[in-house]
């Protein structure tokens, strides 16, 4: 609904406007007035009711205070619709009197103090931070819980101040050295010094002891040979390897084997000679090393001469004693021979000599006089002085004088 208001400008400064003067008229529209106006005009535009301000305000008489509100339900004015403005503004009371134009209206408050707002914001931030920390602590506690069923081992704790400081290990590059393979000695190659023996035989020895050699030679010793026949013999182990000279000397002549074998080559020649008296006789020939001294060999053999029991074991037959015999010296074909008679009737005589043949020096052992003569002829023996003096010294003059007599002094006679 439309209302008509006073068009007078309101005073500035927020003061309460004064009430209308008694001469001014006020037009008021209400639902009831609009309905009545439309009924009277036959459907035309509604007209507002006009009354004077004096009538609206009244003179404070009781009659004015007792007028009914035209907008109240079921009430109607018997007059032409005029009502008191006091009733329109409520309670029938008149508007409060104006206090004048100097009254100032207080400005409305704008939501409180700024400090209070700041404190509220800070409080909200603190609460939010506390809630966030609580949630983070709760999640961390749940995730760090141990798996059920697994025992929790206490962590080792070190005393304060005893924590070992890490030491830096110097880098060292280890060079892996490939071990050199142990050289395998080449197998001994046997070459007999007897170029044209009457017979040859390879004998296997179970072990390189004197008993082993005697057992291996037992059949050969009993097999008769014609007079002057030579059977070339080579000793082999069960592995098919040839026996070396140091093993042979160690079995028969252990007292000098360590010294004497250092002057001799590994290969040596052994044979059996068919003698006219006393049966078969054994002999052997060793080759001296190129740097060996003949005097050193003679010294070693001089030491052997005192071991007559060891010499007796070299025979194929049982030989013992020798009685009062001693080593003597005599030349055979210009070669000085040292000999020791065990039994002259059976021609069991141990003889040895140094000689040269084919540009090499040799040491020969025999067990009879005829056997020594035969091997020296087969090898074309020469005196060791024919070899270079830088390698072998000449035979001492004293030995030549001892053996310078007639060969008739031999044990053969």
């Amino acid at each position: 609904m439309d209302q008509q208001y006073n068009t007078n400008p309101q005073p500035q400064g927020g003061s309460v406007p004064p009430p209308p003067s008694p001469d001014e008229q006020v037009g008021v529209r209400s639902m009831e007035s609009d309905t009545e106006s439309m009924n009277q005009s036959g459907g035309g535009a509604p007209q507002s009711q006009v009354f004077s301000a004096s009538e609206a305000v009244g003179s404070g008489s009781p009659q004015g205070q007792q007028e009914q509100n035209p907008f109240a339900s079921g009430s109607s004015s018997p007059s032409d619709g005029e009502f008191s403005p006091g009733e329109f503004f409520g309670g029938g009371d008149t508007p409060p009197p104006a206090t004048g134009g100097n009254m100032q209206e207080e400005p409305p408050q704008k939501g409180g103090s700024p400090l209070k707002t700041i404190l509220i914001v800070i409080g909200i931030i603190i609460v939010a931070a506390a809630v966030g920390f609580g949630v983070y602590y709760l999640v961390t506690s749940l995730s760090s819980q141990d798996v059920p069923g697994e025992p929790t081992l206490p962590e080792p704790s070190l005393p304060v101040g005893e924590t070992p400081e890490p030491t830096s290990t110097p880098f060292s590059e280890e060079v892996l050295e490939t071990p050199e393979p142990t050289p395998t000695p080449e197998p001994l190659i046997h070459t007999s010094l007897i170029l044209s023996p009457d017979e040859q035989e390879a004998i296997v020895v179970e072990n390189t002891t004197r008993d082993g050699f005697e057992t291996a030679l037992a059949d050969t010793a009993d097999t008769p040979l014609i007079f002057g026949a030579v059977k070339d013999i080579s000793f082999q182990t069960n592995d098919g390897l040839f026996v070396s000279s140091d093993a042979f000397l160690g079995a028969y002549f252990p007292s000098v084997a360590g010294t004497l074998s250092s002057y001799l080559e590994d290969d040596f020649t052994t044979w059996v000679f068919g003698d006219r008296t006393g049966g078969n006789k054994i002999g052997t020939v060793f080759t001296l090393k190129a740097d060996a001294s003949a005097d050193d060999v003679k010294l070693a053999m001089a030491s052997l001469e005192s071991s007559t029991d060891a010499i007796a074991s070299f025979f194929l037959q049982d030989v013992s004693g020798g009685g009062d015999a001693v080593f003597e010296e005599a030349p055979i074909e210009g070669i000085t021979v040292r000999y020791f008679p065990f039994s002259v009737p059976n021609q069991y005589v141990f003889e040895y000599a140094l000689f040269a043949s084919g540009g090499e020096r040799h040491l020969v052992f025999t067990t009879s006089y005829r056997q020594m003569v035969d091997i020296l002829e087969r090898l074309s023996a020469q005196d060791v002085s024919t070899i270079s003096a830088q390698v072998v010294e000449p035979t001492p003059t004293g030995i030549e004088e001892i053996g310078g007599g007639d060969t008739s002094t031999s044990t053969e006679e």
Side-chain angles (χ1 to χ4, degrees):
M1 62 181 171
D2 297 332
Q3 296 182 359
Q4 294 181 358
Y5 298 96
N6 187 11
T7 59
N8 293 330
Q10 295 183 359
Q12 300 295 327
S15 60
V16 178
S21 61
D23 296 333
E24 293 180 354
Q25 294 181 355
V26 178
V28 179
R29 291 182 58 188
S30 65
M31 181 64 71
E32 183 178 357
S33 64
D34 290 344
T35 302
E36 184 178 355
S37 174
M38 291 176 66
N39 291 332
Q40 292 178 0
S41 61
Q47 299 294 325
S48 59
Q49 295 181 358
V50 179
F51 55 90
S52 62
S54 59
E55 294 177 355
V57 175
S59 60
S61 62
Q63 184 180 358
Q65 297 177 357
Q66 294 178 357
E67 291 181 356
Q68 298 293 329
N69 187 355
F71 295 97
S73 173
S75 64
S76 60
S77 176
S79 61
D80 55 359
E82 295 180 358
F83 59 92
S84 170
E87 293 179 348
F88 176 78
F89 291 101
D93 295 334
T94 58
T99 58
N102 296 328
M103 182 177 292
Q104 300 293 329
E105 183 178 1
E106 295 182 1
Q109 299 294 332
K110 296 183 179 181
S113 174
L115 178 61
K116 182 177 181 181
T117 302
I118 293 173
L119 293 177
I120 292 174
V121 172
I122 293 174
I124 293 174
I125 293 174
I126 294 174
V127 172
V131 173
F133 177 77
V135 173
Y136 171 77
Y137 179 78
L138 178 62
V139 173
T140 305
S141 300
L142 293 177
S143 62
S144 62
Q145 290 182 354
D146 296 335
V147 179
E150 295 183 359
T152 302
L153 299 178
E155 296 182 358
S157 58
L158 295 176
V160 178
E162 297 183 4
T163 303
E165 296 181 359
T167 57
S168 59
T169 303
F171 176 76
S172 61
E173 183 178 358
E174 296 183 358
V175 178
L176 299 179
E177 297 181 357
T178 303
E180 296 181 358
T182 303
T184 302
E186 295 181 0
L188 176 63
I189 299 176
H190 173 65
T191 302
S192 178
L193 295 176
I194 302 175
L195 299 179
S196 57
D198 299 297
E199 297 182 22
Q200 286 182 324
E201 182 180 2
I203 298 177
V204 177
V205 293
E206 295 296 331
N207 54 74
T208 57
T209 63
R210 191 183 70 178
D211 292 339
F213 284 103
E214 290 179 351
T215 302
L217 291 168
D219 294 338
T220 302
D222 296 336
T223 302
L225 294 173
I226 63 174
F227 175 68
V230 172
K231 177 189 284 189
D232 184 79
I233 295 174
S234 60
F235 297 104
Q236 296 181 0
T237 64
N238 291 326
D239 298 332
L241 301 177
F242 290 101
V243 176
S244 62
S245 61
D246 58 344
F248 185 82
L249 290 172
Y252 285 102
F253 313 107
S255 62
V256 296
T259 302
L260 187 59
S261 62
S262 64
Y263 307 134
L264 307 177
E265 298 288 352
D266 291 336
D267 190 23
F268 66 102
T269 299
T270 304
W271 77 97
V272 174
F273 176 75
D275 205 343
R276 180 183 299 174
T277 304
N280 298 332
K281 307 296 191 321
I282 188 172
T284 184
V285 177
F286 304 95
T287 302
L288 272 65
K289 294 179 179 179
D291 58 348
S293 170
D295 290 339
D296 293 337
V297 176
K298 291 176 182 179
L299 290 174
M301 291 305 298
S303 177
L304 179 61
E305 290 180 2
S306 62
S307 302
T308 56
D309 292 339
I311 294 172
S313 67
F314 184 58
F315 287 79
L316 295 178
Q317 299 79 15
D318 291 333
V319 176
S320 62
D324 296 332
V326 294
F327 268 90
E328 298 181 17
E329 191 172 281
I332 298 176
E333 300 295 334
I335 306 300
T336 301
V337 177
R338 298 279 294 176
Y339 62 92
F340 182 89
F342 284 94
S343 175
V344 175
N346 295 321
Q347 290 296 303
Y348 297 152
V349 181
F350 178 76
E351 301 188 10
Y352 73 90
L354 278 170
F355 68 95
S357 174
E360 294 180 331
R361 295 165 299 161
H362 303 282
L363 173 66
V364 60
F365 295 167
T366 65
T367 54
S368 72
Y369 170 76
R370 290 191 179 98
Q371 185 182 13
M372 177 64 78
V373 173
D374 182 81
I375 194 64
L376 293 178
E377 290 179 353
R378 287 176 181 270
L379 299 179
S380 302
Q382 300 175 9
D383 192 86
V384 292
S385 62
T386 59
I387 303 299
S388 174
Q390 296 180 355
V391 178
V392 179
E393 297 179 359
T395 303
T397 306
I399 296 179
E400 292 181 353
E401 293 178 353
I402 294 175
D406 189 0
T407 56
S408 60
T409 57
S410 172
T411 55
E412 180 67 17
E413 296 181 0

